Amino acid sequence: MKVNALLPLIEAENLTPGVDLDKEVLCGYSCDLLSWVMKNGQEGMAWVTVQTHMNVIAVAVLAEMACVILPEGIDMEPDVLKKAEEEGLCVMKTKLSSYEICGRMHKAGVADKDA
Amino acid sequence: MSMVHQVYPVAADDFTRAGEASADIKRRLKQLGVSSAVLRRVAVASYEVELNLVIHSDGGELTLNVDQDGVHLISKDVGPGIPDIDQAMREGYSTANEEARSMGFGAGMGLPNMKRNADQFAIESQVGKGTTIEMTFKLA
Ligand SMILES: Nc1ncnc2c1ncn2[C@@H]1O[C@H](COP(=O)(O)OP(=O)(O)OP(=O)(O)O)[C@@H](O)[C@H]1O
Ligand SMILES: [Mg+2]
């Protein structure tokens, strides 16, 4: 599934209009502990997190993730979004919970990490 | 012979710039044509060691050297040092403060992540003096 197909699936809004949404989502993950994500992050990952500071972008970019998903209507500061856009990383937000987001991605065939 | 030698100063508690050294290291190694598997391992280790300088140290620097033996990362700081290295190396052990924990740091996974990803890992610390970590990644 491409990032642009993930947006409607989880009723999300793209917060980084300038970035390429044609990237392939290869797996999904949900975690808010950054070292844990560093350990498990993979290329093409769609990462659900409630963290919104600058290091979220650093972790996602280092792992070459496909996108960051903010659940439950959480917002991200403009300077952090600007950094994401500079790095070509898609950040999206949705009203859905992490549980519901992962459930929908799983049902749509997005794999677990290492799968 | 050194193909790359780069020193990155890392300030204590500067969360907004944290991760910039690691991003630059990754960019440089990519330019050198380092394989994506090695790149990924270096990225995890450099990020963890850089963030430890920000969160736990009184400031320090991260040095990148690339030679025919591989990629070398050296982290050196000016304190406060680690009293018990065996304990610090254990998964789950953390002295991160409330602020760092609220940002998602403090899982106690950084040092174990470095050790797992580096081909060689050495840590040396003296309380009151500082901590030095040296890691090597083979370019195979
Ligand atoms: N450069 C350093 N100076 C002083 N103490 C350090 C340094 N690096 C690590 N430590 C000590 O070692 C502990 C474990 O470090 P580690 O990176 O494994 O976990 P953490 O940084 O606490 O959490 P995480 O990395 O998962 O966010 C730290 O909590 C800290 O007490
Ligand atoms: Mg750490």
Side-chain angles (χ1 to χ4, degrees):
Chain A
M1 180 191 298
K2 297 268 169 84
V3 172
N4 55 17
L6 180 61
L7 285 160
L9 178 76
I10 59 169
E11 300 170 37
E13 173 194 347
N14 176 19
L15 301 177
T16 48
V19 309
D20 175 21
L21 301 180
D22 207 41
K23 274 190 203 156
E24 199 70 41
V25 175
L26 300 173
C27 60
Y29 194 60
S30 174
C31 185
D32 304 311
L33 294 174
L34 299 189
S35 288
W36 209 272
V37 180
M38 264 331 272
K39 181 181 172 191
N40 294 307
Q42 289 178 6
E43 189 182 346
M45 184 172 265
W47 171 29
V48 188
T49 181
V50 299
Q51 297 289 351
T52 59
H53 54 83
M54 211 51 110
N55 277 91
V56 170
I57 309 305
V59 168
V61 169
L62 283 172
E64 295 174 12
M65 292 188 187
C67 61
V68 170
I69 305 167
L70 304 174
E72 307 201 41
I74 292 170
D75 275 309
M76 197 174 249
E77 292 294 329
D79 59 327
V80 182
L81 289 172
K82 187 166 160 267
K83 177 76 179 165
E85 283 200 285
E86 281 166 17
E87 298 285 352
L89 175 73
C90 171
V91 177
M92 57 179 84
K93 75 176 233 191
T94 169
K95 289 218 159 30
L96 305 183
S97 68
S98 299
Y99 181 77
E100 179 68 21
I101 295 164
C102 292
R104 289 194 191 183
M105 288 200 295
H106 190 270
K107 206 170 166 189
V110 176
D112 194 1
K113 66 180 176 63
D114 305 319
Chain B
M1 184 203 65
S2 174
M3 301 194 284
V4 174
H5 171 75
Q6 196 71 31
V7 181
Y8 304 89
V10 180
D13 292 320
D14 187 354
F15 284 101
T16 49
R17 297 202 52 201
E20 282 184 9
S22 304
D24 192 72
I25 288 169
K26 189 176 178 191
R27 206 156 28 232
R28 281 171 192 278
L29 295 179
K30 206 170 196 169
Q31 275 168 9
L32 285 180
V34 173
S35 76
S36 61
V38 173
L39 214 56
R40 211 196 113 60
R41 291 197 286 121
V42 175
V44 171
S46 66
Y47 177 81
E48 295 288 10
V49 83
E50 182 183 359
L51 265 291
N52 278 2
L53 286 176
V54 174
I55 295 169
H56 305 296
S57 91
D58 301 328
E61 61 185 30
L62 188 56
T63 303
L64 168 72
N65 285 319
V66 185
D67 57 26
Q68 62 269 45
D69 297 333
V71 178
H72 308 274
L73 288 180
I74 302 143
S75 164
K76 241 186 210 333
D77 64 53
V78 297
I82 302 172
D84 184 340
I85 289 179
D86 288 341
Q87 183 183 45
M89 289 301 302
R90 225 169 280 146
E91 272 192 25
Y93 177 79
S94 176
T95 60
N97 63 23
E98 243 345 281
E99 188 202 1
R101 282 177 200 268
S102 73
M103 295 173 79
F105 300 108
M109 297 281 290
L111 289 169
N113 276 353
M114 290 174 221
K115 191 163 187 210
R116 186 173 323 117
N117 281 285
D119 291 311
Q120 280 171 45
F121 174 90
I123 178 168
E124 188 178 281
S125 191
Q126 239 182 308
V127 173
K129 286 259 169 68
T131 302
T132 303
I133 294 173
E134 292 194 44
M135 293 181 274
T136 300
F137 306 79
K138 287 189 223 138
L139 283 175

